[in-house]
Amino acid sequence: MSAPRTVDVGGDAPYRIEIGPGLLADGARLTTHARGRHALLLTDSHVAPLYAAAVEAALRDARPELRVAIHVMPAGEAHKTLASFGAVIDALAALGATRDATVYALGGGVVGDLAGFAAACWMRGVDCVQLPTTLLSMVDSSVGGKTAVDIPQGKNLVGAFHPPRAVFADTAALRTLPPRELRAGLTEVIKYGAIRDPRFFEWLDTEREALLAGDHRAPAEAIARSCEHKAGIVERDPLEKGERALLNLGHTFGHAIEAEQGYSGDDRDALVHGEAVAVGMVLPSARLSARLGMAPDADTQRLRSLLLDYGLPVDVPAGLAPDALLARMRLDKKNLAGRLRLVLWRGIGRAEVVPDVDEAQVLEVLGTR
Ligand code: GLY
């Protein structure tokens, strides 16, 4: 195996992101950060049959004294709940996990968020090592320490900041990723170009075929560049007091769609997270920004076209009422003093947080098709 690419995240709790094929089988690397004798491997019903046994074997081979338990949760955002959180806590208790235990999160963003939150809470905080298997979790959710569960009122409303000890993004896992999930992950990659990096935005346009074909080189490059952007932001602003909010371009509205649709689970028509964020980046973010004179119309069209070229949705799914979506947006964590605070856009490569956005303007944009 060639040496993985690495991205270091600095700050008070530094850690390394390693990116490359075959990492999930490399027990010596995966256990570098396991301080104690207990490891809980949290995964879901889609990922478990593919990788859980191999990861468990790799951990045991590298560290025979490690007591490893596997906990498999049902797959899907619909299961990122307080009930699932309770089941992970029960698994840690059954394992007899002590304060030096490690929770390994093997899966996508749902598993990563839930594992991180359980690790943040068990005995007031044990280590979490992220083993993301989806593109979305490799470029976004496994990095930066945001952990949470959803409640019926909204997404990620209960959680904690708990940075991982390490992140291992095994790019070989992308080969088993359903094409819909690969495209959804590319939304978050496009987001980095949209908010910070016009040259990366161009690159994403030219490398579309290679990225969608899932060859190794282009995704590894996209993951490394995305992680470099995210690492820079979260080390300056780990608790989202300022600049980190820019990473939420499209998310306030995307989360509202997800909540209004009851979260994708077995419902194949419901948008998955990356798809909902794609709609949110165009509507209301870019379109509202263009209407407010903040971003050139031409850039809004380019963003829309790039997302469409990647096979991503850009329109509000039928049947979702603008006022119901706005009500959901009012519960977003970025809002302060009851005012709608949104990440808006200055055109390709620049975004900014705008406090007190006029709700009537948002409603109008949401109502356009
Ligand atoms: N996903 C946005 C963030 O980590 O801040």
Side-chain angles (χ1 to χ4, degrees), residues 140 143 146 230 240 244 247-248:
D140 185 30
V143 178
K146 277 190 181 174
K230 182 146 188 187
E240 199 172 303
R244 182 166 181 172
L247 293 173
N248 292 315

Side-chain angles (χ1 to χ4, degrees), residues 187 190-191 194 201 248-251 253-254 257 274-291 295 297 299-309 312-316 343-345 362 365-366 368-369:
T187 301
I190 292 169
K191 176 192 78 180
F201 192 92
N248 292 315
L249 182 77
H251 283 62
F253 189 51
I257 294 176
E275 294 170 335
V277 170
V279 177
M281 285 206 286
V282 174
L283 248 180
S285 311
R287 277 212 190 147
L288 180 59
S289 305
R291 176 183 281 240
D297 253 332
D299 284 21
T300 301
Q301 288 313 325
R302 276 184 72 199
L303 176 61
R304 189 171 185 278
S305 303
L306 186 64
L307 293 165
L308 282 171
D309 287 348
L312 288 157
V314 293
D315 293 316
V316 184
V343 183
L344 295 185
W345 208 42
V362 176
V365 174
L366 296 187
T368 54
R369 294 253 154 210

Side-chain angles (χ1 to χ4, degrees), residues 91-357:
L92 282 162
L95 178 64
T98 47
R99 272 200 149 154
D100 49 8
T102 304
V103 178
Y104 286 90
L106 174 67
V110 170
V111 167
D113 280 10
L114 191 61
F117 187 40
C121 295
W122 180 250
M123 296 193 173
R124 299 203 182 94
V126 297
D127 291 337
C128 183
V129 171
Q130 294 280 346
L131 310 177
T133 58
T134 64
L135 182 60
L136 190 138
S137 55
M138 291 179 190
V139 299
D140 185 30
S141 56
S142 67
V143 178
K146 277 190 181 174
T147 75
V149 296
D150 307 329
I151 57 174
Q153 291 84 346
K155 197 172 146 100
N156 295 336
L157 290 184
V158 182
F161 285 101
H162 188 63
R165 290 279 295 169
V167 181
F168 297 96
D170 186 339
T171 48
L174 297 177
R175 288 192 204 117
T176 54
L177 196 62
R180 183 178 178 187
E181 292 292 336
L182 185 73
R183 286 196 300 272
L186 283 160
T187 301
E188 299 282 1
V189 177
I190 292 169
K191 176 192 78 180
Y192 292 108
I195 64 171
R196 284 172 67 82
D197 190 345
R199 285 179 58 193
F200 189 39
F201 192 92
E202 297 283 343
W203 182 84
L204 289 166
D205 208 2
T206 53
E207 294 291 319
R208 184 161 44 90
E209 269 180 33
L211 280 163
L212 286 174
D215 80 338
H216 166 68
R217 184 195 53 82
E221 179 67 21
I223 294 163
R225 286 172 76 168
S226 300
C227 286
E228 279 160 11
H229 280 301
K230 182 146 188 187
I233 291 180
V234 300
E235 69 188 48
R236 286 189 295 274
D237 182 18
L239 304 181
E240 199 172 303
K241 305 266 190 228
E243 158 184 33
R244 182 166 181 172
L246 300 179
L247 293 173
N248 292 315
L249 182 77
H251 283 62
T252 304
F253 189 51
H255 288 173
I257 294 176
E258 288 183 87
E260 207 44 24
Q261 291 194 317
Y263 304 109
S264 59
D266 298 330
D267 177 2
R268 300 298 300 159
D269 291 334
L271 298 188
V272 297
H273 175 67
E275 294 170 335
V277 170
V279 177
M281 285 206 286
V282 174
L283 248 180
S285 311
R287 277 212 190 147
L288 180 59
S289 305
R291 176 183 281 240
L292 295 174
M294 289 176 61
D297 253 332
D299 284 21
T300 301
Q301 288 313 325
R302 276 184 72 199
L303 176 61
R304 189 171 185 278
S305 303
L306 186 64
L307 293 165
L308 282 171
D309 287 348
Y310 273 99
L312 288 157
V314 293
D315 293 316
V316 184
L320 298 186
D323 50 352
L325 292 165
L326 182 62
R328 296 278 185 186
M329 292 169 78
R330 290 196 191 105
L331 258 185
D332 187 80
K333 296 184 292 309
K334 281 186 297 308
N335 296 338
L336 294 174
R339 305 233 161 85
L340 203 56
R341 213 166 149 253
L342 289 181
V343 183
L344 295 185
W345 208 42
R346 289 267 172 210
I348 293 162
R350 283 198 302 147
E352 81 184 43
V353 178
V354 177
D356 206 3
V357 177

Side-chain angles (χ1 to χ4, degrees), residues 31-57:
T31 53
T32 315
H33 306 277
R35 293 182 297 128
R37 292 176 155 252
H38 301 101
L40 181 71
L41 181 60
L42 174 64
T43 188
D44 71 23
S45 50
H46 288 165
V47 176
L50 299 170
Y51 302 114
V55 173
E56 183 189 22

